[in-house]
Amino acid sequence: MSVAVIYGSSMGNTEGAANLIAEKLGVSDVLNISDIDAAKINSYDKLIVGSSTWGSGDLQDDWDAFDFSGLKLDGKTVAVFGMGDSESYSDTYCNAMGKLAEKLQAAGAKLVGQVSTDGYSYESSEAVVDGKFVGLALDNDNQEDLTEERISNWVEQIKADFN
């Protein structure tokens, strides 16, 4: 079974989270979306995918430029994580994670790793479905002190889906 952590990062925060998730989960393949295509993503059995949120709730630039039409993820287990700014952009907090999750589900992915919104402070987010984040929401701008703990807790939650 092959697992990859794939990220899009402009400032390094999402890349740092991707590396920490991979380390804690024991995954060796950590890939920048700007360096791969849909065929490479399709070659993995399971995926952990992350993006930061930019502008008014947009995907990170490399994800925004990615051609999702070639993704074939039918039945594959996928978990998502995202970076956002819950204070300056509280009305679009981690929207990119929600958009990414939608695109991955449209390609057939089975999403795992939903996270409670408890302990988060924001106005609204496209990443919240049925009262939970679709994946792990992180905020290194305002809550960097919580990032490692949130990642550790999430990895424990999803570990069974990725081993």
Side-chain angles (χ1 to χ4, degrees), residues 10-27:
S10 297
M11 305 295 288
N13 288 330
T14 311
E15 179 179 8
N19 285 315
L20 188 55
I21 290 166
E23 177 186 318
K24 289 184 179 290
L25 202 53
V27 173

Side-chain angles (χ1 to χ4, degrees), residues 52-130:
S52 51
T53 298
W54 284 90
S56 58
D58 300 321
L59 283 168
Q60 186 269 345
D61 290 343
D62 298 320
W63 277 114
D64 196 43
F66 184 76
D67 180 7
F68 286 89
S69 67
L71 285 182
K72 295 185 181 13
L73 305 176
D74 292 333
K76 292 186 180 188
T77 299
V78 177
V80 294
F81 68 98
M83 282 284 175
D85 181 336
S86 62
E87 289 183 18
S88 298
Y89 298 94
S90 67
D91 58 336
T92 59
Y93 179 60
C94 284
N95 274 10
M97 179 171 62
K99 290 176 179 177
L100 193 55
E102 282 180 17
K103 290 179 181 292
L104 296 168
Q105 283 183 299
K110 176 188 147 226
L111 283 187
V112 298
Q114 292 75 15
V115 172
S116 170
T117 58
D118 294 347
Y120 290 88
S121 178
Y122 62 95
E123 283 180 47
S124 65
S125 176
E126 290 178 26
V128 175
V129 175
D130 296 330

